[in-house]
Amino acid sequence: MSKEPVAVVGIGQTKHVAARRDVSIAGLVREAAQRALDDAELTWADIEAVVIGKAPDFFEGVMMPELYLADALGAVGKPMLRVHTAGSVGGSTALVAANLVAARVHGTVLTLAFEKQSESNAMWGLSLPIPFQQPLLAGAGGFFAPHVRAYMRRTGAPDTVGSLVAYKDRRNALKNPYAHLHEHDLTLERVQASPMLWDPIRYSETCPSSDGACAMVLTDRAGAARAPRPPAWMLGGAMRSEPTLFAGKDFVSPQAGKDCAADVYRQAGIADPRRDIDAVEMYVPFSWYEPMWLENLGFAAEGEGWKLTEAGVTELDGDLPVNMSGGVLSANPIGASGMIRFAEAALQVRGQAGEHQVEGARRVLGHAYGGGSQFFSMWLVGSQRPDS
Amino acid sequence: MTREIAVVAFAQTDHRRTSAELSEVEMLMPVLHEVLDETGLKTADIDFTCSGSSDYLAGRAFSFTLALDGVGAWPPISESHVEMDGAWALYEAWTKLLTGEADTALVYSYGKSSPGSVRDVLTRQLDPYYVAPLWPDAVSLAALQAQALIDGGVTDEPALAAVGARSRSDAGANSHAQLRGSVPQGEYAVRPLRTGDCPPVGDGAAAVILAAGERARSLCARPAWIRGIDHRIEAHGLGVRDLTDSPSARLAAERAGAFERPVDTAELHAPFSSQEVVLRRALRLDDSVRVNPSGGALAANPVMAAGLIRIGEAAAGIHRGESDRALAHATSGPCLQQNLVAVLEGDPR
């Protein structure tokens, strides 16, 4: 049997900021959803189902918030699914929604992911003490810093690479009106002089805490034919998971990430990702993850990722732009961050990315990961329908 | 041509008031082994895995991640999770199988209510600005619904008591149930609901294996084919809903094809006796239908697994040849806000 091709015809984001005190959680998600509908020139009545995702409920202190949000998202009388796969959730949520279309269960689906971090403190939300379990060591930075150090040791990368990524992403963010951080006076020297938080990760190489939401309207061939603007077509999508803690785990380049990318490339007929993919929105919450994921995703040989970064290949005007939007380093509403990557990839192939548009982007990868690098979700979108 | 997908195996724990000596993973592991053993499959043979659980029961963020370690996700697996009852995890897995990207799926869910007060915990599901600060608990909200039914002349207290008594009497044949046999109706918990109208608080886990087409026939002598499955949600505010009705359950049943032909069995996720009254009417179940032969949620209600167990029980009845066409139902949210209905059938005999 064949799957129905899936098209992205509407994309909406909020302007990500440290605290949206002017709206409730419902108001925040509604804003992104309405923008996605407006982009698709559809109404709430055109939506057949809603798939919503966010990272842990403890971040806002609302258990299973989809129940409360049903009204705000026009879901009353419709199916509503709630996905939660840690930091990869924004991507996973989009893939679950895409499967509803691919399986021909529904024709047009709204998918949305959000986080309103100002409602609580994510650092402590991640650090609840549990008996008989390894503590996460004060938020995510404490967990990931040793793995960054391992990458540096393994590859011999000079310790300046991380700051190059942060400087690039923050400059890209200046071209993205929705990005949280717009640091107009940032210089490379300032990144390098910022305080050391979790050695080797400096303050300016970490993601902010943001309030924000991202929504997409996904539809089938018939829906895409009616769309007012060019659709982005899903060419491949996959999720992979591996255990958090076990002796065989490679925290620098997890097997689940490699397998997930390989599955996406197989579906999309990508033989050489470096040549066949035009740009990447990847999940880089700490700057060093750009060179690490370049290797994990097959854009560089093992130990070579940092050389692409250093050579400027991943700059907005480089040969393989990475995080044109400014990435997670410039806006991190955690639950939404994965979906923003997926949505920004779609914006690029639709030619709708505005000032941070990559000329001629035809195939763009959206990437998300979560937990202790054990959950991965990715999709590759293109300007051409896969069966055309 | 839509793919045929079936439940081919089901396992559940013995549900208990407390399982303090077990972690969630330890509670879950035997059930995972049981469904795999039933089919002869190994973790590596499963194409897609999906689970349902809630961080709020565990009292920590990302609680599901450790369960995944227990599944043995190595080499890496294709896997997802819903922060919902496992019935919705099964729905996601069903969708995945429909796309043709997977032929087999493992679905599991679990919940431990014993570490806290689930009555208080569930208040955190409510509108966080206007309702949750008042801490209205699940029993009180169900009592509002029960009183609305009584006021509407739909039922009365003796009829509700009969629902509880029948459920626990039927649960006598279910070794996994928590409350079995003759259980006194008890004192009022919140008027008009007595303790006998309310579910036991307990810990438990469940797992199901799905398979498509010929694969299902090779794994199970009599697969429980999912003829239809659908779920719908209603408004959150109780003030804008008619609590004596369940339009979302009715619509889900209609979309799942439940009304096309009569069912012989129904497994309803009705944690309160009054909710069975609502669901029987919405789902058009008359006295010819065996309702909750397992004892239902009034005999065991491990939160986050109780809905998946309804699907599993309905399927197991078909596997055993005791049922030919069954309806399975799961609910979520206050006063039946969200409802899922699946229609299962065995091959003709």
Side-chain angles (χ1 to χ4, degrees):
Chain A
M1 61 168 283
S2 69
K3 290 187 291 181
E4 177 71 22
V6 180
V8 185
V9 295
I11 295 173
Q13 285 182 63
T14 58
K15 161 78 174 103
H16 309 296
V17 295
R20 278 296 299 273
R21 301 205 193 286
D22 60 318
V23 289
S24 62
I25 299 170
L28 183 78
V29 298
R30 177 91 177 181
E31 200 174 288
Q34 185 64 59
R35 285 177 184 163
L37 287 175
D38 290 348
D39 184 21
E41 292 182 15
L42 295 176
T43 69
W44 293 98
D46 297 313
I47 299 299
E48 295 171 30
V50 178
V51 183
I52 184 171
K54 67 175 285 342
D57 291 3
F58 281 102
F59 284 2
E60 288 84 9
V62 187
M63 180 186 186
M64 302 164 77
E66 71 279 3
L67 297 165
Y68 144 68
L69 293 172
D71 306 64
L73 290 174
V76 172
K78 299 173 186 177
M80 188 172 196
L81 264 174
R82 158 72 193 289
V83 180
H84 177 15
T85 62
S88 68
V89 66
S92 308
T93 304
L95 292 179
V96 173
N99 272 346
L100 290 174
V101 176
R104 300 189 178 91
V105 175
H106 295 294
T108 302
V109 177
L110 173 71
T111 186
L112 179 139
F114 76 96
E115 205 74 66
K116 199 161 188 291
Q117 291 205 58
S118 66
E119 302 265 333
S120 74
N121 183 321
M123 175 97 153
W124 295 114
L126 286 173
S127 305
L128 296 172
I130 304 295
F132 314 116
Q133 280 175 25
Q134 175 175 292
L136 206 55
L137 305 169
F143 184 85
F144 291 116
H147 310 315
V148 170
R149 186 57 81 186
Y151 173 77
M152 295 166 76
R153 189 175 299 124
R154 198 187 283 188
T155 63
D159 59 10
T160 48
V161 172
S163 55
L164 294 176
V165 175
Y167 181 52
K168 167 191 62 104
D169 283 5
R170 295 276 162 80
R171 271 181 295 136
N172 288 351
L174 295 173
K175 298 177 188 294
N176 174 9
Y178 295 107
H180 174 176
L181 296 183
H182 283 152
E183 297 181 324
H184 291 276
D185 53 354
L186 193 72
T187 62
L188 183 59
E189 292 69 33
R190 282 201 193 185
V191 173
Q192 289 165 344
S194 66
M196 189 65 83
L197 290 187
W198 301 275
D199 191 355
I201 300 171
R202 292 182 182 277
Y203 177 79
S204 287
E205 297 174 63
T206 67
C207 50
S209 280
S210 315
D211 285 357
C214 179
M216 289 189 282
V217 177
L218 307 182
T219 191
D220 53 15
R221 273 175 296 200
R226 292 190 295 267
R229 277 171 275 281
W233 293 97
M234 182 171 151
L235 306 178
M239 291 186 234
R240 282 295 184 283
S241 309
E242 67 181 40
T244 328
L245 303 167
F246 78 113
K249 184 173 171 95
D250 183 354
F251 281 97
V252 170
S253 189
Q255 188 63 39
K258 293 182 190 174
D259 291 0
C260 190
D263 192 357
V264 171
Y265 300 156
R266 178 190 56 78
Q267 292 172 37
I270 299 287
D272 177 358
R274 178 79 172 82
R275 194 191 65 219
D276 299 341
I277 293 175
D278 300 318
V280 188
E281 279 282 339
M282 67 168 73
Y283 205 103
V284 178
F286 302 102
S287 61
W288 277 93
Y289 272 86
E290 175 179 298
M292 290 165 73
W293 293 145
L294 281 171
E295 297 172 26
N296 191 246
L297 295 172
F299 292 104
E302 208 162 301
E304 306 282 313
W306 63 271
K307 293 177 184 168
L308 295 190
T309 298
E310 200 178 50
V313 169
T314 60
E315 295 272 348
L316 190 53
D317 59 359
D319 183 42
L320 180 72
V322 173
N323 288 334
M324 301 70 76
S325 68
V328 180
L329 278 175
S330 305
N332 187 30
I334 297 178
S337 292
M339 188 171 290
I340 297 170
R341 307 281 74 71
F342 278 42
E344 286 285 350
L347 276 179
Q348 289 286 344
V349 299
R350 297 173 74 204
Q352 305 269 319
E355 274 192 70
H356 62 287
Q357 177 70 45
V358 172
E359 281 309 311
R362 289 174 302 115
R363 280 185 296 258
V364 179
L365 184 71
H367 160 271
Y369 85 108
S373 301
Q374 82 266 39
F375 302 112
F376 293 84
S377 58
M378 304 172 200
W379 82 1
L380 189 80
V381 285
S383 49
Q384 293 294 315
R385 201 173 80 193
D387 58 344
S388 63
Chain B
M1 166 72 195
T2 306
R3 262 190 139 193
E4 283 197 310
I5 293 155
V7 177
V8 296
F10 166 58
Q12 60 183 318
T13 54
D14 292 341
H15 310 295
R16 293 188 286 153
R17 177 62 187 88
T18 169
S19 57
E21 75 284 6
L22 298 174
S23 70
E24 287 174 328
V25 187
E26 288 169 321
M27 187 174 72
L28 177 65
M29 288 303 291
V31 168
L32 294 179
H33 285 296
E34 202 180 321
V35 281
L36 289 169
D37 289 349
E38 222 176 289
T39 52
L41 294 172
K42 296 185 166 45
T43 308
D45 303 324
I46 299 290
D47 296 331
F48 182 65
T49 301
C50 197
S51 61
S53 67
S54 167
D55 280 349
Y56 259 76
L57 291 177
R60 63 155 294 190
F62 302 143
S63 66
F64 62 92
T65 60
L66 291 161
L68 184 69
D69 286 15
V71 171
W74 189 262
I77 59 172
S78 173
E79 186 264 352
S80 183
H81 172 262
V82 297
E83 193 81 355
M84 307 177 82
D85 186 287
W88 278 268
L90 183 142
Y91 181 86
E92 185 184 327
W94 171 75
T95 306
K96 181 85 176 178
L97 265 61
L98 274 186
T99 65
E101 287 172 19
D103 292 329
T104 54
L106 170 67
V107 179
Y108 63 89
S109 63
Y110 56 89
K112 282 181 65 148
S113 297
S114 62
S117 163
V118 72
R119 212 166 143 168
D120 292 332
V121 169
L122 290 175
T123 66
R124 304 299 90 192
Q125 288 186 334
L126 304 169
D127 179 318
Y129 305 102
Y130 296 107
V131 186
L134 304 173
W135 294 84
D137 65 76
V139 180
S140 303
L141 296 176
L144 280 176
Q145 187 170 29
Q147 190 62 51
L149 288 164
I150 292 172
D151 291 346
V154 178
T155 190
D156 53 26
E157 289 191 38
L160 295 181
V163 171
R166 191 210 73 237
S167 296
R168 281 152 192 157
S169 166
D170 285 351
N174 176 3
S175 62
H176 301 289
Q178 188 178 332
L179 285 186
R180 307 163 62 197
S182 176
V183 178
Q185 188 62 7
E187 298 299 313
Y188 285 113
V190 178
R191 275 181 193 271
L193 294 180
R194 295 174 183 271
T195 52
D197 294 305
C198 305
V201 174
D203 302 350
V208 155
I209 289 178
L210 299 181
E214 284 310 307
R215 196 72 196 278
R217 287 197 171 84
S218 72
L219 294 171
C220 180
R222 191 163 195 255
W225 301 106
I226 300 174
R227 295 298 184 213
I229 181 168
D230 192 83
H231 60 100
R232 301 279 153 169
I233 196 165
E234 293 177 38
H236 183 62
L238 298 181
V240 298
R241 286 162 54 191
D242 174 1
L243 295 181
T244 66
D245 194 11
S246 183
S248 60
R250 183 182 300 112
L251 182 57
E254 190 184 317
R255 301 289 300 226
F259 301 141
E260 286 164 17
R261 280 187 296 124
V263 296
D264 54 44
T265 308
E267 279 285 344
L268 305 180
H269 183 195
F272 297 91
S273 60
S274 42
Q275 295 181 342
E276 183 179 306
V277 175
V278 175
L279 291 168
R280 273 180 182 266
R281 296 208 309 162
L283 299 174
R284 301 179 204 163
L285 302 172
D286 60 28
D287 290 341
S288 70
V289 180
R290 271 175 301 168
V291 172
N292 289 343
S294 67
L298 283 166
N301 188 40
V303 179
M304 298 298 137
L308 181 62
I309 291 170
R310 303 282 73 74
I311 299 175
E313 289 281 6
I318 289 169
H319 296 163
R320 290 191 299 264
E322 293 165 7
S323 166
D324 292 320
R325 180 172 159 91
L327 179 151
H329 159 267
T331 194
S332 178
C335 299
L336 303 173
Q337 187 193 345
Q338 189 173 20
N339 294 284
L340 176 147
V341 172
V343 177
L344 305 173
E345 276 184 356
D347 285 324
R349 288 178 290 185

